[in-house]
Amino acid sequence: MAKKTTLPLQTIAKLQLSVWQNCEVNCISNTLHYMADNKNEQFFPHALSTEEIQKKYESGKDGLTNEQAERKLNKHGDNVIEGKKQESLFRLFFDQVNNPVIYLLLVAVVVSFFFGDIPEAIAIIVVIILNTGIGFWMEYQARTSVNALKKLNRLKAKVKREGEIKEIDAAKVVPGDIIELEAGDLVPADARVISFAELKVDESPLTGESLPVEKNKEKLDEDTQLADRKNMLFKGTALTHGKALAIVTTTGKQTEIGKISEMANEEEKNKIPLNQKLSKLSHRLIWVTVGLAAAFFVTGWLAGKEVYLMLQTAIAWTVAAIPEGLPIVASIALARGMLRLSKRNVLVKKLAAVETLGETTVIFTDKTGTLTENKLSLESIEYPGSENKINTDSLLKNKPEESLQNENFKNIYRVSVFCNDAKVKEECESKGDPLDISLLEYFIEFDKEKTGTLQQTKRFNEDPFDSDSKFMGTVHSLDDELYISGKGAAEPILSRCKFYLEKGEKKKITNDFIEKWIVRNEELSGKGLKVIACSYKIAEENEKKSLKEKEDFIEEMIFLGFICFIDPAKEDVKDAIEKCQTAGIKIIMVTGDHPGTAENVARKVGLSANEKYHSLNSAEIANKKDEVTSTNIFARVNPEQKYNIVNRFKENGEITAMTGDGVNDAPALKKADIGIAMGERGTQIAQDVADMILKDDSFPSIVDAIEEGRIIFGNIRRFIVYQLSYHLAEILIIAGISFSLFYLPLLPLQLLFLNLLSDVFPALALGLGKGDDTIMKQKPKNPKEPIINKRNWIAMGIYGVVMALIICGVYLLVYYQFGKSKELANTVAFFSLAISQLLHVFNMREHKEHVFNNQIVKNRYIWMALALCLAALSAAYFIPVLHNTLSFETLSLVHWLLVGGASLLTLLIIQTIKSAFKI
């Protein structure tokens, strides 16, 4: 049990489960602790009486002896839960280099060193280091940010041992310990209630239930569902009211939360779709490269050419075929997406997860705190009469004196303030029952001065709320009269009323009247509203003494009506959901709450575009498996069902994103393609297994992330098409000249220099584009569609062939017209190809965009990249050291005119084909 605290409910919610997850792990138990003496005989603590449970654990009224506690600790181990082991820095580094493209480049490095081509080897190594360094640093920074979110509190517990209450480390609590708990405490282990007073517990981290749950010590049936085990307290939940003594039944990973944690840790995370697609593309490139290099080597060897020339050409083909800048540009584009999202309060832990968001077809979202405020507010007030409903928002627009002319409302107002123990202060967090806090906050806004006056009215007697009576009563002195207030659950309040108030007139209650309002209470509850009933009575001043001494004074009351509360939907959620629906993304609510509550919230936020809602509860999911993928609301679900629901949609070919904050969400978060945890109210287990964390717990932030993911995917596809099309041109140029003249038209070092410029700077500029304004009006692409589709391959083929034909033509023209100088032809071909590749970036516009007014032309990074590359090419030509290293010849004006003409002709032909054939 945690040390006594005065923390309010809002703060408790932030602390839940963070404390025990940080404890060092030393859990050695692999058996269930609630076993009978015969170890094969399982039993259920909630199905035993308090006497039976104490006997089972050999624990009497004085608790365990120190000897018993030590023996049990040795047997069961520490009361801690094994967390998800963080990857080592070496593993983080290895993940960056574990890539087929990197492997092939490493082979090229070895071959270059072997034949003494040191500059080429060093240049390739620089590429590898840049790619590895960028990826490693960004993911390391993300991991550091995640660690900063973790709380460092350590939980204490009060246990009764040998008749004395002792405060010990919660990790040393054992089955059979009697623990003492009160409001504000976190429960250190699963325990069976043996005595209590006004006990309520917040179980939202475990069950998803948004309201505190009343607890008791009554024996239950063995098959009682977890959320309905009212006599059990669960590790990691928090007491919001009252106090309790409970006997510990399970500890560590055998607790309910421990089992969920184990399920999350055991689940293997599937490879992110982008990684799968890039890997598949890389393998294709490798086979093409190896095949071409082998074919040329065999052909040259049969023709009697030098082995060194053959190997040099093979290296040239490797450099030409593999887009060295692809890993770098992909990493930088994704990293920049991570940084942009971090400014929108989205922390992404894995680079490739950003892009995967863009492929998302289904979002599974929790209700409480994600779609709703996770705070109760007044929805309406209902009272007897023909016009018996008041919208509470409208009351705030009227003058208080006008509203108070309604006798029912005036007395409901008084009862709400009198029968209330909450403390609401502007300068600090409110304390008390969430319903009472909501009432006070509302009426302070309604009339701050009058509410303050009512709060100062002297209270003579009270009947506190408890789970048996289900109501609260008070007696106040008001205007020389005694004002008796009663509020609570509908049935007990109605049963204690003799009259009801209608339009200022007191009328006698009938059985039909009671039945009508009980039915109305059920209707409102079915819509997801929390309902309390209000009643009052006026007594004479001379009755003060008897009322002051009387314990049960809520009798023969006057019924006033119902106050209805709701956890309201967040204001910005509806627009965000509509944006998702326009983008073809399905939103599905998965919650532990009541189906009525879920459907009510779904209607408020427009969860279904056609206003058709199909919900399944936990009992129906197993029996209606065929309906799962057509359902948009799942209510009363447990962690295993959440996991199975996500898995079912994945099997159906969907790319899934799952939001969650509690331990109960962890397995499903890990199973989803993208797990999204909450930063403010999320538990550590949820944050550990998630791919991204919403620091502001805002659903619209998910939509921002999806939009960013789509932009990034479009940019990645664009720069891959850009890179591969001119790499294809390089392959065709080498093949065309090498197989015909057996000369190497472009040297490996020249290709590497050129590719480092084109692969990085223009490609990076494409990767930093802002995307199409209509990107969130497009349907998600088919998740099975490769990163480069058929249309892209056709376009790349056309681009590559056009570029290769023109450059080969220029090479042959110079070779035969200028003295068959292969060095001069090589230099002209190099610069023709270089300028063509730089201008080729303008061919990456969408075919529907205007030639001179498109996202490429508007991208300032494109112009910066082109200027930088032209400067680098100029430096390579004019600086003697670089000129000689790259084996350039001096070019005349005629040669430069050929370079310019070939480059512009390539751009003109491709733009014409693009406009004509819509590619």
Side-chain angles (χ1 to χ4, degrees), residues 391-672:
N391 185 291
T392 50
D393 289 336
S394 64
L395 287 173
L396 298 177
K397 298 175 184 177
N398 301 333
K399 293 181 179 180
E401 52 269 23
E402 294 178 1
S403 300
L404 292 173
Q405 291 178 6
N406 183 310
E407 286 294 320
N408 283 75
F409 174 72
K410 180 175 71 175
N411 284 287
I412 287 174
Y413 173 31
R414 289 174 175 174
V415 170
S416 298
V417 178
F418 285 156
C419 219
N420 197 314
D421 289 328
K423 304 294 181 185
V424 177
K425 295 181 180 180
E426 294 180 2
E427 64 274 12
C428 60
E429 290 185 285
S430 302
K431 300 177 182 179
D433 184 275
L435 290 173
D436 286 347
I437 291 172
S438 179
L439 281 171
L440 275 188
E441 287 179 342
Y442 176 82
F443 284 116
I444 287 172
E445 185 178 0
F446 171 74
D447 191 331
K448 184 176 181 179
E449 183 178 348
K450 187 172 182 62
T451 301
T453 301
L454 289 175
Q455 284 182 292
Q456 297 302 316
T457 305
K458 187 173 182 181
R459 181 187 291 185
F460 285 99
N461 197 3
E462 65 178 295
D463 185 356
F465 180 91
D466 65 60
S467 56
D468 291 329
S469 66
K470 297 188 183 299
F471 67 82
M472 175 183 181
T474 60
V475 181
H476 287 75
S477 179
L478 181 67
D479 300 330
D480 298 325
E481 294 179 324
L482 297 178
Y483 194 94
I484 304 172
S485 307
K487 73 174 175 66
E491 290 190 42
I493 289 293
L494 282 165
S495 67
R496 289 171 176 265
C497 289
K498 189 175 182 180
F499 306 95
Y500 66 92
L501 195 65
E502 182 178 337
K503 296 181 179 179
E505 182 180 352
K506 187 170 73 172
K507 297 182 179 180
K508 191 172 180 63
I509 275 185
T510 63
N511 290 335
D512 289 342
F513 179 91
I514 292 175
E515 181 63 27
K516 170 188 172 183
W517 281 87
I518 288 176
V519 169
R520 181 58 181 160
N521 173 60
E522 292 173 353
E523 291 173 353
L524 293 170
S525 298
K527 293 179 180 178
L529 299 175
K530 177 72 175 178
V531 181
I532 62 171
C534 295
S535 63
Y536 86 110
K537 183 172 68 173
I538 303 296
E540 299 296 329
E541 186 72 22
N542 58 17
E543 299 180 58
K544 180 184 292 187
K545 184 177 180 180
S546 62
L547 282 172
K548 192 173 182 179
E549 297 174 351
K550 200 170 185 179
E551 290 186 5
D552 188 359
F553 49 81
I554 303 300
E555 55 187 7
E556 297 187 351
M557 304 287 284
I558 302 170
F559 177 72
L560 294 169
F562 289 160
I563 303 177
C564 305
F565 300 82
I566 194 169
D567 181 5
K570 292 180 178 178
E571 293 181 0
D572 53 1
V573 165
K574 189 169 185 178
D575 290 340
I577 288 179
E578 185 177 349
K579 194 173 181 179
C580 284
Q581 291 165 345
T582 303
I585 300 168
K586 186 176 182 180
I587 310 296
I588 297 175
M589 185 191 299
V590 184
T591 179
D593 265 357
H594 189 279
T597 305
E599 289 190 26
N600 186 49
V601 172
R603 290 187 178 89
K604 294 273 186 183
V605 300
L607 192 69
S608 173
N610 57 13
E611 290 298 316
K612 292 182 180 179
Y613 299 96
H614 182 207
S615 63
L616 293 177
N617 59 38
S618 58
E620 295 171 328
I621 292 172
N623 299 326
K624 299 181 179 180
K625 292 181 179 179
D626 295 338
E627 298 181 21
V628 168
T629 54
S630 62
T631 300
N632 50 16
I633 299 173
F634 294 94
R636 288 294 192 200
V637 295
N638 59 39
E640 185 178 356
Q641 288 170 329
K642 285 186 179 183
Y643 175 94
N644 290 334
I645 290 167
V646 172
N647 189 51
R648 185 64 182 272
F649 276 84
K650 287 187 69 174
E651 289 175 349
N652 208 39
E654 307 282 1
I655 299 296
T656 58
M658 171 79 188
T659 72
D661 57 353
V663 176
N664 60 330
D665 297 319
L669 285 173
K670 196 166 185 180
K671 184 64 181 176

Side-chain angles (χ1 to χ4, degrees), residues 814 817-818 823-825 827-828 831-832 877-878 883 888-901:
V814 172
Q817 292 297 320
F818 293 89
E823 292 80 10
L824 182 62
T827 304
V828 172
F831 281 103
S832 298
Y877 181 78
F878 289 109
H883 186 101
F888 289 153
E889 292 291 311
T890 302
L891 302 182
S892 66
L893 179 61
V894 174
H895 298 142
W896 283 115
L897 288 175
L898 283 173
V899 168

Side-chain angles (χ1 to χ4, degrees), residues 48 97 118 289 302 326 354 365 411 531 544 690 715 752 894:
L48 300 179
V97 298
I118 306 302
T289 302
L302 292 175
L326 175 58
V354 180
T365 177
N411 284 287
V531 181
K544 180 184 292 187
N715 290 341
L752 191 59
V894 174

Side-chain angles (χ1 to χ4, degrees), residues 8 89 129 131 136 162 169 306 341 400 413 435 442 569 580 802 836:
L89 292 180
I129 291 174
N131 173 69
F136 176 83
E162 298 186 339
D169 189 333
E306 294 181 11
L341 287 173
Y413 173 31
L435 290 173
Y442 176 82
C580 284
V802 169
S836 296

